[in-house]
Amino acid sequence: MPDNNLPLDTDIVPRLEVEHFANFAVDAALWLVRESMDAIANKTDFDPDPENCFRVLGRLPAIRQLRDLTEDQRHDMFIEGFRHIPNGAQETFELLLTHHRELLWEGLRKRWNVVADEVPFR
C-alpha cells in the first residue's frame, strides 16, 4: 500500500491528470456559484445538490460572477468546488494542492481561460 504522506511525483501525476483535476474543479466552482445564485434568487438556504454539479445550463451567469473575482479568489472557489463534489479523488487532489500547488494553479488558469472565453465581456 502506498504511503499517502509522500509528495506526489510529477512523473507519476503528469500534467494531463492535473488538467483533469482542473477541469473538474472549475466546473464544480461554476456549480457552487449557480447553486448560490439560485438560493439567493429563491430566498432559500444554500444547500448545494451534487446531482446538479455538471449541469450545462446556467453556466453563463456563473462565469460572469467568477470573472469579477481576483485569480486567487477564483482559485479558492475552484478548490471549494472540487471539495464539494462526490468523487474518490479528494485525497489525490489535496496532495496535489499541498505539494504541487503551482502545477495545479497552472491547470486551473488554463481551464479558466477556456471557460471565461464562453462569455463575451459586458
Side-chain angles (χ1 to χ4, degrees), residues 66-80:
L66 285 172
R67 187 186 280 158
D68 290 341
L69 301 177
T70 66
E71 183 177 83
D72 286 341
Q73 291 170 326
R74 268 194 305 275
H75 286 189
D76 288 346
M77 287 298 298
F78 300 153
I79 291 165
E80 283 308 306

Side-chain angles (χ1 to χ4, degrees), residues 1-2 5-6 14 48 50 52 58 61 63 76-77 109 112-113 120 122:
M1 181 174 266
N5 293 320
L6 295 176
N52 297 327
I63 292 169
D76 288 346
M77 287 298 298
R109 205 173 290 117
W112 171 249
N113 287 336
R122 297 179 217 178

Side-chain angles (χ1 to χ4, degrees), residues 2-122:
D3 183 353
N4 289 330
N5 293 320
L6 295 176
L8 292 177
D9 184 349
T10 54
D11 292 332
I12 295 171
V13 181
R15 290 182 186 275
L16 181 61
E17 289 190 32
V18 170
E19 289 175 19
H20 288 298
F21 282 105
N23 290 347
F24 281 112
V26 170
D27 286 344
L30 291 171
W31 159 65
L32 281 182
V33 171
R34 280 193 323 261
E35 293 280 315
S36 175
M37 292 169 73
D38 288 348
I40 291 168
N42 297 325
K43 296 181 170 96
T44 59
D45 290 336
F46 176 65
D47 185 22
D49 182 358
E51 294 285 325
N52 297 327
C53 187
F54 299 106
R55 177 181 61 156
V56 176
L57 297 175
R59 286 171 58 99
L60 300 182
I63 292 169
R64 286 187 183 107
Q65 290 292 319
L66 285 172
R67 187 186 280 158
D68 290 341
L69 301 177
T70 66
E71 183 177 83
D72 286 341
Q73 291 170 326
R74 268 194 305 275
H75 286 189
D76 288 346
M77 287 298 298
F78 300 153
I79 291 165
E80 283 308 306
F82 194 93
R83 287 175 174 161
H84 278 79
I85 56 175
N87 64 54
Q90 301 294 345
E91 190 173 326
T92 303
F93 183 78
E94 294 298 330
L95 286 170
L96 270 174
L97 186 59
T98 302
H99 298 289
H100 296 288
R101 182 177 293 261
E102 286 306 314
L103 189 61
L104 182 58
W105 258 221
E106 179 184 328
L108 292 171
R109 205 173 290 117
K110 285 180 182 178
R111 177 62 182 157
W112 171 249
N113 287 336
V114 170
V115 169
D117 284 345
E118 294 177 20
V119 178
F121 283 95
R122 297 179 217 178

